[in-house]
Amino acid sequence: MPVVPKKPYLIRALHDWIVDSELTPYLMVAADSDQVIVPVDYVNEGKIILNISANAVQNLEISGTAVSFSGRFGGHSFDVYVPRHNVLAIYAKETGEGMMFDPADEGGPDAGPDEPPPVVDKPGGHLKVIK
């Protein structure tokens, strides 16, 4: 049975928690992919920070594959599209609380086949992959 990626669920849950806490949700994005659609004038060192609060965006959608919305940048409307593997973090602007994601956990569209986790020896027992 294929495993459903947990990242979109974590992004949605953290977004809801940040908004319910009356804080501002920010998304850190790796903007170094042709699949990412963001205003390039705001990209710094291959990354962009996006305010995804209800006051800043319209039509926010956090799906299983991407985050998308319409926002205003420099007074101009811009449709943003971020594949889930390009989301590096979601956090509250005011407190910095949130979650960073390890890009190696998911890989990008060119990621190779999943490798089984290694056998781990721990004192008092053994863990191993069972197929």
Side-chain angles (χ1 to χ4, degrees), residues 39-52:
V40 294
D41 293 346
Y42 296 88
V43 174
N44 186 14
E45 297 181 8
K47 296 180 182 127
I48 186 168
I49 307 296
L50 301 167
N51 176 346
I52 58 171

Side-chain angles (χ1 to χ4, degrees), residues 4-9 11-12 35-36 61-68 81-87 106-107 109:
V4 176
K6 63 184 169 214
K7 190 174 189 179
Y9 294 92
I11 294 169
R12 279 192 296 268
Q35 295 177 335
V36 175
E61 183 178 347
I62 303 171
S63 73
T65 58
V67 176
S68 61
Y81 179 84
V82 179
R84 79 166 179 253
H85 57 268
N86 287 87
V87 175
E106 184 171 15

Side-chain angles (χ1 to χ4, degrees), residues 14-76:
L14 286 164
H15 176 268
D16 289 349
W17 172 76
I18 292 166
V19 169
D20 289 350
S21 298
E22 298 181 4
L23 301 171
T24 309
Y26 272 20
L27 204 65
M28 181 189 299
V29 173
D32 56 356
S33 165
D34 292 340
Q35 295 177 335
V36 175
I37 302 171
V38 295
V40 294
D41 293 346
Y42 296 88
V43 174
N44 186 14
E45 297 181 8
K47 296 180 182 127
I48 186 168
I49 307 296
L50 301 167
N51 176 346
I52 58 171
S53 68
N55 295 336
V57 303
Q58 293 180 334
N59 304 319
L60 176 65
E61 183 178 347
I62 303 171
S63 73
T65 58
V67 176
S68 61
F69 60 87
S70 180
R72 295 191 70 76
F73 298 86
H76 302 300

